[in-house]
Amino acid sequence: MATTLATPTSSSDAVHKPIQNVLITCAMTAEALPMVESLGLQPDEQFASPAPCFSWSGQHFGMQIHIVQNGKDREHSVDNVGTVPAALSTYLACQRFQPDLIISVGTAGGFQSQGAAIGDVFLGTTTVNHDRRIPIPGFDKYGVGAHTAVPTTHLQKALGLKAGMVSSGNSLDYTEQDMTFMSSNKVAVKEMEAAAVAWVAAMFKAPMFSLKSITDIVDGGRPPQEEFLENLQRAATALQEAILPVLKFVSGKTAAEL
């Protein structure tokens, strides 16, 4: 069944406020570090101890820019991917930095049925969860957790980016029920964090959108882990190339002008 109800992440006042303070959220080191280096950001000391996430900050395009990354799992020494670390790091970063705009940046799977190809960069229009199935009235809509991103029509046109619905889950693969949900809702991008970032953005009434680069084709027939590993560097490079023009476009505008 297709979902139709989506909660805006931001208040009407927030979208008319000049954007001077931008928070970029990332799950993986390979996604964050190239952007940190290209923006010349510096690490923030004692960002959120004992939480594993960490951040970098600096000035660019006349704005304060912050990148927060979920950090490493202490037991397994891998990046903290998924909705739980994303919600934690985004919440802590919002408390500390009070951003005017939040951008959930990362790599993702894409649907060729929605026009996705390896290396494409998508702007998210809505975020949902595809694996929170709670078939009880009220809880069913909560499980989907749909949030409408701040519209980015002008940004999409100016930079020639694709756009579509972003769906989050906590597995790299998917079940038959996951695929039924994603297909019926015409999901364009499948990943593991954006819905959690949107949920926190809504708490803080902060405008938010996603910027996702495609590593694997969900409906292409190949195991996602193979394509992900093959194309991670290519997708991370595409993100690095996209983020500077995105920030330049955002500078001097309100969220309502995006």
Side-chain angles (χ1 to χ4, degrees):
M1 178 183 294
T3 181
T4 57
L5 297 177
T7 302
T9 60
S10 55
S11 69
S12 57
D13 291 339
V15 298
H16 295 290
K17 179 182 178 182
I19 298 169
Q20 299 176 321
N21 192 2
V22 178
L23 172 63
I24 297 170
T25 67
C26 294
M28 303 186 71
T29 304
E31 298 163 347
L33 287 185
M35 291 187 291
V36 168
E37 293 171 0
S38 64
L39 290 166
L41 306 184
Q42 297 300 313
D44 296 310
E45 294 184 5
Q46 298 179 337
F47 166 59
S49 181
C53 46
F54 46 90
S55 67
W56 302 262
S57 298
Q59 292 278 339
H60 217 85
F61 298 119
M63 303 180 294
Q64 189 71 19
I65 308 295
H66 311 280
I67 293 179
V68 61
Q69 194 253 333
N70 295 347
K72 298 280 188 181
D73 179 80
R74 292 189 178 99
E75 182 176 355
H76 302 290
S77 299
V78 297
D79 289 315
N80 283 314
V81 300
T83 56
V84 173
L88 174 63
S89 61
T90 305
Y91 183 86
L92 292 170
C94 284
Q95 279 196 318
R96 175 161 178 173
F97 301 126
Q98 296 296 306
D100 302 318
L101 176 68
I102 301 171
I103 310 175
S104 173
V105 175
T107 55
F111 284 78
Q112 60 186 4
S113 59
Q114 299 300 316
I118 301 296
D120 282 349
V121 178
F122 273 77
L123 292 165
T125 56
T126 305
T127 58
V128 293
N129 297 277
H130 57 257
D131 62 352
R132 298 202 316 188
R133 291 176 289 276
I134 313 173
I136 301 171
F139 285 92
D140 51 357
K141 294 181 177 64
Y142 161 77
V144 173
H147 286 89
T148 303
V150 63
T152 54
T153 307
H154 303 299
L155 174 60
Q156 179 189 352
K157 183 177 180 179
L159 301 186
L161 300 175
K162 296 181 178 181
M165 182 180 288
V166 177
S167 189
S168 302
N170 282 294
S171 296
L172 185 62
D173 61 7
Y174 54 84
T175 67
E176 183 178 345
Q177 288 172 295
D178 294 338
M179 180 58 86
T180 298
F181 174 89
M182 291 186 286
S183 297
S184 64
N185 284 283
K186 294 181 169 51
V187 167
V189 176
K190 172 189 173 293
E191 49 84 86
M192 301 178 70
E193 290 86 22
V197 175
W199 183 65
V200 175
M203 287 186 202
F204 286 86
K205 296 181 171 56
M208 175 267 182
F209 66 85
S210 303
L211 187 73
K212 302 293 178 177
S213 181
I214 304 304
T215 56
D216 55 279
I217 302 302
V218 182
D219 52 353
R222 289 190 62 194
Q225 63 271 24
E226 291 182 5
E227 283 194 301
F228 172 81
L229 292 173
E230 285 177 11
N231 299 307
L232 177 59
Q233 187 57 54
R234 177 179 173 185
T237 299
L239 282 177
Q240 182 184 2
E241 292 173 349
I243 195 63
L244 286 174
V246 166
L247 291 174
K248 184 177 181 180
F249 184 90
V250 164
S251 177
K253 295 180 175 64
T254 68
E257 297 171 323
L258 300 181

